Amino acid sequence: MSQFLILKALEVTDAMLFSSTVAETDYPAWAAGTTYADKAMVQVLSTHSVYESQVAGNVGVDPTTNPDKWVRVRATNRWRCFDKSNSSRTTQASSISYVFAPGVAVPMVAALNLVNCTSIRVRLIDPTYGTVYDKTLYPGPLPIQPDPWEWAFGEWSGGQSITLWTDLPSFPTAKLHVDLVGGPALALGLLMFGAPRAWGDMGGVDGGVRVGRQIYSTREANKYGDLTLVKRPSAKRSSFELRLRKSEVDPLLDFLDEIDADICLYVVSRGYESLVIVGIFENADVVLERPTFSALSIELLGTI
């Protein structure tokens, strides 16, 4: 299998987000002189967040500093695709566009949890050299089974929910353009970009990768054996071994120590969407097998 990629994405800031076609008008902006009812919703643009009032007669209380009177519900629609959560999405019918000024080289871009998306175009436009990268991917609907009958007569699913670009050239002053085209329910769950770290020069991920789901739905039985089932989101899980060169062992362990409290993008294999995981690593152990190579055993858990 291929090398193991870990992307600790750049943090998107106001200075970095140059423009977007997604309006930031989810709810009225909070105003100090307005009295808000219980459960009233407002947005605060300084934090790009939506808040819900927890009391009646709520006046003059800043939502960003008073959690007893206001609760943060989520990011605004424009910023939702940067919150590293798999359960929220930026939505807009037909098209979504972002332009970023990262200020550093961006070799990798990832768009995840796509819905009703037919194409995504990624471009780098440098102020001196013009367009230095332009590639469009098409994550449109696909047959559920890859055979001729299904192509002609079968049911088609929503297509790919993940697209990756890993070959962007290094132009630190270039602007990054991301343009999505789709249907009326177009949605983007996560947009991540930055410089990935590649591990496993000795042969990459070994065979025998385990992949599955962490189930959070509840299943309770009463004394008669009747089940009460409550559906909740699930998360991706994976565990595998990675063949490492001797020179990779200490740098990888140091890097894992650096990101153990960060949500990152882990690409175990580009051939399976179930092996592209946004989340955390739970355990990582290295077995020093030979003088020149070692084996890393690692477990990944995706976010909801």
Side-chain angles (χ1 to χ4, degrees):
M1 297 182 77
S2 59
Q3 285 182 297
F4 177 40
L5 296 181
I6 304 176
L7 174 64
K8 182 181 178 182
L10 293 174
E11 196 74 29
V12 178
T13 63
D14 287 301
M16 186 185 296
L17 180 54
F18 186 77
S19 65
S20 174
T21 60
V22 180
E24 201 167 11
T25 54
D26 303 34
Y27 291 96
W30 174 78
T34 300
T35 300
Y36 295 98
D38 186 25
K39 306 303 180 187
M41 306 286 279
V42 299
Q43 68 178 29
V44 178
L45 293 184
S46 62
T47 61
H48 304 291
S49 298
V50 174
Y51 297 86
E52 182 183 74
S53 175
Q54 300 300 290
V55 296
N58 198 348
V59 59
V61 179
D62 187 345
T64 65
T65 57
N66 292 274
D68 56 326
K69 299 291 182 66
W70 293 93
V71 62
R72 183 183 184 276
V73 179
R74 58 180 176 271
T76 58
N77 189 37
R78 175 185 289 181
W79 288 77
R80 214 165 291 162
C81 61
F82 311 128
D83 65 2
K84 298 180 182 177
S85 168
N86 282 319
S87 60
S88 62
R89 294 182 175 92
T90 293
T91 62
Q92 182 167 274
S94 303
S95 66
I96 295 173
S97 293
Y98 287 95
V99 180
F100 305 94
V104 296
V106 178
M108 180 176 181
V109 176
L112 304 102
N113 298 335
L114 298 165
V115 175
N116 203 203
C117 180
T118 55
S119 70
I120 310 180
R121 184 183 186 189
V122 170
R123 290 174 292 161
L124 281 177
I125 302 178
D126 185 83
T128 302
Y129 300 99
T131 301
V132 294
Y133 184 87
D134 189 343
K135 181 180 286 189
T136 302
L137 298 180
Y138 300 91
L142 293 170
I144 292 178
Q145 294 291 331
D147 63 64
W149 190 94
E150 290 286 349
W151 275 91
F153 308 108
E155 180 182 353
W156 286 46
S157 72
Q160 294 174 282
S161 64
I162 296 171
T163 51
L164 303 175
W165 296 258
T166 57
D167 59 347
L168 281 73
S170 295
F171 284 84
T173 59
K175 285 189 171 65
L176 173 65
H177 295 245
V178 181
D179 302 299
L180 291 80
V181 175
L186 176 62
L188 170 63
L190 291 167
L191 184 59
M192 305 174 75
F193 52 87
R197 302 283 294 272
W199 306 95
D201 283 342
M202 201 69 190
V205 177
D206 285 343
V209 175
R210 299 180 66 88
V211 61
R213 308 291 299 191
Q214 178 72 40
I215 304 299
Y216 296 104
S217 299
T218 61
R219 309 164 188 178
E220 297 181 359
N222 62 20
K223 63 181 180 179
Y224 303 107
D226 298 322
L227 289 175
T228 300
L229 306 178
V230 179
K231 175 63 177 173
R232 294 195 174 104
S234 63
K236 295 179 182 178
R237 292 192 69 93
S238 181
S239 60
F240 57 92
E241 287 195 352
L242 177 70
R243 191 72 57 176
L244 298 172
R245 293 185 184 276
K246 179 181 178 181
S247 59
E248 291 182 288
V249 172
D250 288 331
L252 175 54
L253 291 177
D254 289 342
F255 182 62
L256 291 176
D257 181 64
E258 176 188 331
I259 64 170
D260 67 0
D262 290 306
I263 293 175
C264 296
L265 174 64
Y266 299 89
V267 182
V268 184
S269 170
R270 297 184 64 169
Y272 301 88
E273 288 198 356
S274 56
L275 291 177
V276 179
I277 298 175
V278 176
I280 60 173
F281 73 92
E282 291 193 298
N283 295 293
D285 298 292
V286 173
V287 179
L288 304 176
E289 293 184 345
R290 298 287 189 274
T292 58
F293 68 86
S294 302
L296 169 76
S297 296
I298 189 167
E299 298 177 16
L300 305 176
L301 175 63
T303 59
I304 295 178

